[in-house]
Amino acid sequence: MAVKIKDVAREANVSVATVSRVLNDVPLVNEETKKRVLEAIEKTGYKPNAIARSLKIQKTNTFGIMIPDITDSFYTQVVRGVEDICSMYDYNIILCNTDFNSKKEEKYLDVLIEKQCDGILYIGKGISEELKEKMLKSKVPLVVGATHDHEYTLPSVMIDNEKAAYEMTKLLISLGHKKLALFSDSDTKSLVAREREEGFKKALKENRLEFLKEWYRVDSANVSGGYKMMEDLLKENNLPTAIVVTSNDDAALGAIRKAIEVGIKVPEDISISGFNDFYISEWVKPSITTIAQPMYDIGAVSARMLIKMLNNEELNEKNIIVPYELIQRESTAPPK
Amino acid sequence: MAVKIKDVAREANVSVATVSRVLNDVPLVNEETKKRVLEAIEKTGYKPNAIARSLKIQKTNTFGIMIPDITDSFYTQVVRGVEDICSMYDYNIILCNTDFNSKKEEKYLDVLIEKQCDGILYIGKGISEELKEKMLKSKVPLVVGATHDHEYTLPSVMIDNEKAAYEMTKLLISLGHKKLALFSDSDTKSLVAREREEGFKKALKENRLEFLKEWYRVDSANVSGGYKMMEDLLKENNLPTAIVVTSNDDAALGAIRKAIEVGIKVPEDISISGFNDFYISEWVKPSITTIAQPMYDIGAVSARMLIKMLNNEELNEKNIIVPYELIQRESTAPPK
DNA sequence: CTGAAAGCGCTTACAG
DNA sequence: CTGAAAGCGCTTACAG
């Protein structure tokens, strides 16, 4: 079996208490003794058992992170931000893909609690009331990233999604567009999608443009979702001159692809905007006008916030709004 | 504090042993008693402490997974494959981004061992001898994905990288190309990159084509890496008619982008192939001819293998070669 | 400065 | 079928 603290104690001719003290850098250990213990550790190849330690000190130094899908470029960036900060503070992360599915979310929440995570990061598009209740009841320190619960009860980190979509829509209107379509995430549980839709509608209203159901499509927030929305939109006789895709840049890319396939030029014939600023968005042809969410920072800030909570530090704000940036690229232009 | 097994025992008027038995579905518990215990669990809202359990049973049901960077679409897919399988078998994963940096790799390996992971998945481009020694010495069950150690000592799951690059090169030659450039990963520690380069050279040799240093570039395996390699290649007076990009599709995309920017048409003026088949590769314009690695499967198979090892099941093969697929798309064509 | 002992929250032989 | 007790590998008050 593996060598344990007892073995190094015997080897160094001290008690396990002393070994534990040098392991934890408790200052009041004789230098001589310390050296002997260190040598014994070296010699035996001892590695402390973090599980046993955790049980005793009631702290695991691990966070649970729940995301819909690591395969989505958005979450991938957020997770990297989380992990980098965690690594700095000696935390590890248990990664859970929930597919934004309630069953999986509840199961994972239980597991993370049972594994005694010091805290949990929930990154997603929204939170059901049931899950929120469960989170609150469990009393586990938790921060929500990229979205929030309805009443802002839980600490959260996100951009102002409504405003972002509003500004994007306003930009297109200011370019001269009067016929605007909306491509959105079909996930009915997505709070974020609803907020972005509100932003779109608000911009239309302010400019006395009517929101037309014929130009509203929803599908999954990925390339083929965007492709399909475009395919379906093209069945209309009357076509818009601009499409605000609020799902994400992948969906925008899919829409652009479909347009190109049927000979519609982007942005000459139709302008298309995206959301998130995925890494490909500046490289594809045409490059995509988008709302740059600070994805990495959302992860990093969420993680920092959680660590602060664990250290009982004062939070300046409980619900942090991080800035986004509207980036104009090739996929949008004034209408012909 | 949280409720513990003792509390539910008291509530149900039984011993902790009995509660533990119903928790673990040990069959020999009276139905009546069981019901009482279940009610007590329900009433108290008890959640077992997995850490305490792990310490006792010497099993944590968690795997550690080490990857260079979750931000890279390749690892993102692999991790999803791993997590899906793990979830089926009730394992969780601790995710570690190492940036293929030895210091981080060694640190994380230690941490994962200290946290008593039941097994470790190392996904990457190669393994240094030092790290391998450490892995072997620790005796932790471990499987390597997407690459292998030099002597194939560790169990591994990967494609035949040399052959894949060889076939891609052969395809381009068969299209009529005689002037082929190679864009590769600049990471000198990447075993996988070296193998693909071998495949490229082998194909040239077989066709009596010379490998020219002037047409060989290395840079990081991402879009801007590809962009820069192309930029640099364009300084040559004599240009190739085809470029085999062995880093990945992102680099191929970057190279294509640069070509387009300076008015070089792909594939009319120059053919460019990629590697991995990232999800964007079929959607960008031109879509990218590539080697489709079964990224998800590499993760899934690795995870299954690790689970088998833990169950002491016989492994049919220790070093699994999974199939790849050469997908021809728009970015390659016969030379003019 | 150091050690003996209790205890973290479980599981599981052992006895009945 | 059930319970008392030992023990998983640590940490930390307490005593000296």
Side-chain angles (χ1 to χ4, degrees):
Chain A
M1 268 335 266
V3 13
K4 13 194 158 155
I5 202 168
K6 214 182 191 176
D7 303 314
V8 357
R10 189 185 309 125
E11 180 71 31
N13 238 309
V14 294
S15 71
V16 294
T18 301
V19 177
S20 174
R21 285 192 191 100
V22 348
L23 243 26
N24 293 293
D25 269 321
V26 177
L28 31 73
V29 181
N30 182 305
E31 275 306 316
E32 275 302 311
T33 321
K34 188 170 175 178
K35 194 183 284 176
R36 249 188 14 259
V37 171
L38 256 16
E39 280 168 12
I41 288 173
E42 177 72 21
K43 184 173 169 194
T44 55
Y46 170 72
K47 289 212 172 54
N49 181 325
I51 294 295
R53 177 162 208 274
S54 290
L55 178 60
K56 180 64 195 174
I57 69 172
Q58 306 281 60
K59 185 166 181 349
T60 53
N61 268 48
T62 110
F63 288 156
I65 175 166
M66 297 170 66
I67 57 170
D69 182 11
I70 191 64
T71 266
D72 181 316
S73 307
F74 180 81
Y75 300 108
T76 237
Q77 289 290 140
V78 175
V79 168
R80 188 44 144 124
V82 169
E83 218 264 320
D84 282 358
I85 296 298
C86 285
S87 164
M88 289 173 51
Y89 290 90
D90 283 324
Y91 282 90
N92 290 106
I93 55 172
I94 296 183
L95 179 75
C96 304
N97 292 109
T98 67
D99 295 314
F100 199 33
N101 162 351
S102 315
K103 291 265 171 301
K104 291 194 192 177
E105 287 185 340
E106 304 209 348
K107 187 194 127 203
Y108 275 128
L109 180 59
D110 277 339
V111 172
L112 294 175
I113 291 171
E114 291 180 6
K115 291 205 171 172
Q116 311 299 116
C117 288
D118 296 332
I120 293 179
L121 290 154
Y122 178 93
I123 318 287
K125 323 183 194 179
I127 301 181
S128 70
E129 284 305 303
E130 301 78 57
L131 189 67
K132 179 181 167 183
E133 282 315 311
K134 230 181 145 165
M135 287 168 166
L136 255 15
K137 236 179 88 182
S138 79
K139 299 205 173 85
V140 64
L142 184 145
V143 355
V144 174
T147 185
H148 64 98
D149 60 296
H150 277 91
E151 298 82 10
Y152 291 90
T153 313
L154 303 164
S156 59
V157 179
M158 53 169 212
I159 64 161
D160 185 334
N161 282 288
E162 180 178 325
K163 190 157 163 241
Y166 167 80
E167 285 193 5
M168 178 59 86
T169 310
K170 247 181 52 177
L171 166 73
L172 287 161
I173 293 173
S174 75
L175 286 174
H177 291 280
K178 292 187 168 9
K179 301 163 73 175
L180 295 95
L182 173 61
F183 282 7
S184 183
D185 186 344
S186 56
D187 199 321
T188 52
K189 296 178 299 173
S190 172
L191 176 59
V192 158
R194 296 300 87 71
E195 292 175 338
R196 293 181 191 165
E197 290 180 2
E198 283 314 308
F200 175 82
K201 289 177 184 170
K202 191 177 159 200
L204 288 201
K205 198 174 223 172
E206 272 190 20
N207 290 274
R208 294 166 199 218
L209 296 172
E210 208 185 335
F211 174 78
L212 294 182
K213 279 211 178 124
E214 300 93 278
W215 292 343
Y216 174 53
R217 293 290 184 287
V218 297
D219 209 305
S220 45
N222 52 36
V223 191
S224 67
Y227 188 91
K228 283 189 279 175
M229 288 190 277
M230 192 59 164
E231 197 165 34
D232 199 63
L233 181 72
L234 292 174
K235 292 177 187 159
E236 300 290 331
N237 293 321
N238 184 17
L239 286 180
T241 60
I243 304 174
V244 175
V245 182
T246 55
S247 354
N248 63 28
D249 286 345
D250 280 347
L253 175 62
I256 291 171
R257 172 77 193 204
K258 180 65 197 178
I260 293 174
E261 280 181 16
V262 300
I264 295 177
K265 286 194 180 123
V266 180
E268 292 82 352
D269 301 324
I270 196 161
S271 284
I272 297 181
S273 72
F275 221 99
N276 286 356
D277 193 24
F278 286 157
Y279 75 100
I280 47 144
S281 304
E282 60 170 314
W283 300 101
V284 292
K285 206 64 190 154
S287 58
I288 303 174
T289 294
T290 193
I291 296 290
Q293 279 204 70
M295 303 176 279
Y296 181 94
D297 293 347
I298 288 176
V301 172
S302 301
R304 252 186 224 281
M305 197 164 169
L306 191 51
I307 291 168
K308 273 194 180 178
M309 286 163 63
L310 294 182
N311 295 340
N312 291 312
E313 293 174 41
E314 199 60 44
L315 297 182
N316 300 326
E317 322 162 69
K318 204 184 75 180
N319 300 100
I320 298 178
I321 301 294
V322 290
Y324 59 84
E325 197 187 343
L326 198 167
I327 302 181
Q328 265 189 278
R329 296 209 181 95
E330 300 164 349
S331 69
T332 52
K336 278 198 290 206
Chain B
M1 269 331 267
V3 13
K4 10 193 161 155
I5 202 169
K6 215 181 189 175
D7 303 313
V8 355
R10 190 183 310 123
E11 180 72 30
N13 239 308
V14 294
S15 71
V16 295
T18 300
V19 176
S20 173
R21 286 192 189 102
V22 347
L23 243 26
N24 292 293
D25 269 322
V26 177
L28 32 73
V29 181
N30 181 306
E31 274 306 316
E32 276 302 310
T33 321
K34 186 168 176 181
K35 194 183 284 178
R36 245 184 22 256
V37 171
L38 256 17
E39 280 167 10
I41 290 173
E42 177 71 21
K43 183 172 169 193
T44 55
Y46 170 71
K47 288 211 173 54
N49 181 325
I51 294 295
R53 177 163 207 273
S54 288
L55 178 59
K56 180 63 194 178
I57 68 173
Q58 305 281 58
K59 184 165 182 349
T60 53
N61 269 49
T62 109
F63 288 155
I65 175 166
M66 298 170 66
I67 57 171
D69 182 10
I70 192 63
T71 267
D72 181 316
S73 307
F74 180 80
Y75 300 107
T76 238
Q77 289 291 140
V78 176
V79 168
R80 188 45 145 127
V82 170
E83 218 263 321
D84 282 357
I85 296 298
C86 284
S87 165
M88 289 173 51
Y89 290 90
D90 284 322
Y91 282 91
N92 290 107
I93 54 173
I94 295 182
L95 179 76
C96 304
N97 292 109
T98 67
D99 294 316
F100 200 33
N101 163 349
S102 315
K103 291 267 171 302
K104 292 195 193 177
E105 287 184 339
E106 302 209 349
K107 187 195 126 205
Y108 274 128
L109 180 59
D110 277 339
V111 171
L112 294 175
I113 291 171
E114 291 180 6
K115 291 206 171 172
Q116 311 300 117
C117 287
D118 296 331
I120 292 179
L121 289 153
Y122 177 93
I123 318 288
K125 323 183 195 182
I127 302 182
S128 70
E129 283 305 303
E130 301 79 55
L131 188 67
K132 178 180 166 182
E133 281 315 311
K134 231 182 144 163
M135 288 168 167
L136 254 18
K137 236 179 88 183
S138 79
K139 298 208 173 85
V140 63
L142 183 146
V143 356
V144 174
T147 184
H148 64 97
D149 61 295
H150 278 91
E151 298 83 9
Y152 291 89
T153 313
L154 303 164
S156 59
V157 179
M158 54 168 210
I159 65 160
D160 185 335
N161 282 288
E162 180 178 325
K163 192 159 163 240
Y166 167 79
E167 285 193 6
M168 179 59 86
T169 311
K170 248 182 48 177
L171 165 73
L172 287 161
I173 294 173
S174 75
L175 286 175
H177 291 281
K178 291 186 167 16
K179 302 164 72 175
L180 294 96
L182 172 61
F183 283 7
S184 184
D185 186 345
S186 56
D187 199 321
T188 52
K189 295 178 299 173
S190 172
L191 176 59
V192 158
R194 297 300 87 70
E195 291 175 340
R196 293 181 191 166
E197 291 180 1
E198 283 313 309
F200 175 82
K201 290 176 182 170
K202 192 177 158 201
L204 289 201
K205 197 173 224 172
E206 274 191 17
N207 289 275
R208 294 163 198 220
L209 297 171
E210 209 184 334
F211 174 79
L212 294 182
K213 279 214 178 119
E214 302 93 278
W215 291 342
Y216 173 53
R217 294 291 182 286
V218 297
D219 208 305
S220 46
N222 53 36
V223 192
S224 66
Y227 187 93
K228 283 188 279 175
M229 288 191 277
M230 192 59 164
E231 198 165 32
D232 201 64
L233 182 72
L234 292 174
K235 293 175 186 159
E236 300 290 332
N237 293 321
N238 185 17
L239 286 180
T241 61
I243 305 173
V244 176
V245 181
T246 55
S247 352
N248 64 28
D249 286 345
D250 280 347
L253 175 63
I256 290 172
R257 172 79 193 203
K258 181 66 198 177
I260 293 174
E261 280 181 15
V262 300
I264 295 177
K265 287 196 180 121
V266 180
E268 292 81 352
D269 301 325
I270 196 162
S271 284
I272 298 180
S273 71
F275 221 98
N276 285 355
D277 193 25
F278 286 158
Y279 75 98
I280 47 145
S281 303
E282 59 170 313
W283 300 101
V284 292
K285 203 71 189 154
S287 57
I288 303 173
T289 294
T290 193
I291 296 290
Q293 279 205 70
M295 303 176 278
Y296 181 95
D297 292 347
I298 287 175
V301 171
S302 301
R304 252 185 223 283
M305 198 164 169
L306 191 50
I307 291 168
K308 273 193 181 181
M309 286 162 63
L310 295 182
N311 295 339
N312 291 311
E313 292 175 42
E314 199 60 44
L315 297 182
N316 299 325
E317 321 161 72
K318 203 182 75 180
N319 301 99
I320 298 180
I321 300 293
V322 289
Y324 60 82
E325 196 186 343
L326 199 168
I327 301 182
Q328 266 189 277
R329 296 209 181 96
E330 301 164 350
S331 68
T332 53
K336 276 197 292 204

